Amino acid sequence: MKLIPVKQASDACQELALEMHGLLARAAADQRPVVLGLATGNTMVGLYAALVDLLRGDPVNLAGLTTFNLDEFLGLAPDHERSFQRFMNENLFGPLDLDLARCHFPDGAWAQKDPEAACAAYSQQIQGAGVMDMQLLGIGRNGHMGFNEPGSPANCWTRVVSLHALTRSDAAGEFGSLAAVPETAITMGMADIARAERLRLLAFGSSKAKPLAAALASEPNPEHPLSFLLQHPDFKIWADGAARGQES
Ligand code: GLP
């Protein structure tokens, strides 16, 4: 794992967007399919904006791009204001005019009826696409990855999870109230994430300092899901000063 300190979030977003642009351009030139694992959250907004800008300035044929999102709340319609599908449409898929048939999400509606089948199907769909070229990651205030909350084992695959109280209270502002925040979600597991060829994590702001430091200092431990990924052969983490625990 390589920790890349940056002064400000926008520096990290620009560096990672450039790397993504390069990856997409090389794949297009080689007429090779490319598979990205995508994340949501405020952290990703600047990254997606930077990538959209780069692709507008220097267009790449994205016909070979397939995406898999990390997670989704259960019980929200895909066009719900707070659904991750809506977030992706607004921040990336719409601006890039991507073919939505190639942009995949774990199926929350199916998971409510038949969690085992829906979850196994998503892991299989990811594996069927080959090895993901790159998986984007953020980190929750309690250290969750996707919605792999503390307590998640290294060998878990896509599954339905109960959201921790802190995760729900962090989302309450955006949902308008705590009661409106779903209690469950469907998430790629740590094992799905670890299969990706490259892992790229962004951590910005003081609320990420504690979970980041705890995971970086930890042996592989379910209480810090990020700790399972630290031995991955191609893992970069960008962190601004606040996320590295520096006073601003
Ligand atoms: C969300 C997502 C995570 C994300 C995290 C942090 O709920 N499930 O994938 O990394 O919380 O979000 P933010 O970037 O808004 O801090």
Side-chain angles (χ1 to χ4, degrees), residues 32-233:
R32 181 171 65 73
V34 61
V35 184
L36 296 181
L38 301 177
T40 50
N42 295 322
T43 308
M44 298 294 146
V45 172
L47 171 67
Y48 294 147
L51 182 60
V52 168
D53 272 359
L54 286 173
L55 286 166
R56 285 196 175 136
D58 186 0
V60 170
N61 181 349
L62 298 177
L65 172 62
T66 299
T67 68
F68 290 93
N69 261 79
L70 274 173
D71 49 8
E72 184 58 281
F73 290 107
L74 286 201
L76 301 189
D79 62 345
H80 184 284
E81 258 197 300
R82 302 262 55 97
S83 83
F84 290 158
Q85 207 153 329
R86 172 105 170 237
F87 174 97
M88 292 307 304
N89 288 341
E90 287 176 0
N91 288 284
L92 194 68
F93 301 158
L96 294 182
D97 197 20
L98 291 188
D99 175 4
L100 294 184
R102 303 177 72 103
C103 300
H104 304 286
F105 287 82
D107 189 331
W110 187 13
Q112 276 187 311
K113 287 186 220 128
D114 189 348
E116 254 176 52
C119 295
Y122 198 58
S123 281
Q124 280 159 18
Q125 203 178 14
I126 296 168
Q127 288 173 35
V131 171
M132 285 195 282
D133 291 271
M134 183 185 283
Q135 173 67 57
L136 303 180
L137 296 164
I139 185 166
R141 206 150 60 92
N142 66 352
H144 69 229
M145 318 280 314
F147 274 135
N148 291 283
E149 298 277 26
S152 298
N155 62 354
C156 59
W157 299 92
T158 300
R159 68 206 190 290
V160 170
V161 293
S162 295
L163 297 175
H164 281 199
L166 186 65
T167 302
R168 291 189 66 238
S169 75
D170 280 351
E174 291 182 337
F175 275 83
S177 73
L178 183 60
V181 182
E183 291 183 357
T184 50
I186 179 169
T187 183
M188 265 188 216
M190 296 309 295
D192 297 291
I193 293 169
R195 281 184 72 250
E197 193 177 335
R198 302 169 186 82
L199 300 178
R200 301 292 183 258
L201 186 147
L202 298 175
F204 305 141
S206 56
S207 67
K208 306 299 170 81
K210 223 169 133 186
L212 190 59
L216 295 184
S218 173
E219 293 296 312
N221 178 341
E223 283 316 300
H224 309 292
L226 167 59
S227 65
F228 292 132
L229 303 174
L230 298 177
Q231 300 307 319
H232 187 285

Side-chain angles (χ1 to χ4, degrees), residues 2-50:
K2 187 176 174 202
L3 181 66
I4 305 171
V6 285
K7 268 210 169 118
Q8 41 200 11
S10 55
D11 297 339
C13 291
Q14 192 61 24
E15 279 181 34
L16 180 49
L18 273 168
E19 186 181 4
M20 294 173 78
H21 184 276
L23 181 71
L24 293 167
R26 282 195 306 279
D30 299 346
Q31 296 187 321
R32 181 171 65 73
V34 61
V35 184
L36 296 181
L38 301 177
T40 50
N42 295 322
T43 308
M44 298 294 146
V45 172
L47 171 67
Y48 294 147

